[in-house]
Amino acid sequence: MFLNVHTHNLSQQKNSVDLYNQFPSNWNSDAKTFSIGLHPAYINVSTLEDDIEIILQKITEKNCLAIGEIGLDKLCKTDFELQKTVFERQLKIAEEYQLPVIIHSVRAYQEILQIRKELKINLPFIFHGFNKNEQLAQQIVLQNCFLSFGKNLLVNKNLQITFANLSNNQFFLENDANDISIEEIYTFAANLRKITIKELQLLQAENWKTIFGYEVQSS
């Protein structure tokens, strides 16, 4: 089974499980497993309370596996202080319901890690679409957080080295909003780690079970 930890496109393949990213204002009832959260770029003060209420309703569903994607983004137009306020509010919801968090970060890794420390958050953070250096990767995993790799893994040589050096229980795989299939990412990732696709599937299945409490059968 190909496990996709973060996607905006539902796969029609029977041999994959998608953790589909839901937005409060744009619900897709076809998602079998999902995360839900308020992305920093889509924070709107006028609809904030309604969005939070939808999140609170949806996270009680059994197929909601995580809060996210949420985080901080220094390139989007949303006021950064407002971003932090909404991010912290959603983290407290994640704490209350004991759900892992899918993290969106653009030039804000240190701020996110600092908030995690200040709020004494122990929940798993999964930094999706990771495309930074090995020093930052090690800083993240040392705080008991995780990295998720997608399309950039296929083209970034330094990222490939970082990925190959991670422990088996420190990473996830995704295709985000890209046209590339999760199968192609698995194929490339398995080659980097010098293991078979089947072995990689088994490793990811174990990580999903540990972090999300979601048990799958690999194919």
Side-chain angles (χ1 to χ4, degrees), residues 63 65 111 127 139 157 160 163 168 180 194 201:
N63 53 343
L65 303 187
E111 288 87 346
F127 286 81
Q139 184 181 357
K157 299 295 185 183
Q160 293 166 10
F163 172 76
N168 291 333
I180 187 171
K194 302 187 186 323
Q201 288 176 318

Side-chain angles (χ1 to χ4, degrees), residues 10 33 69 83:
L10 285 176
T33 57
E69 61 183 293
Q83 288 186 46

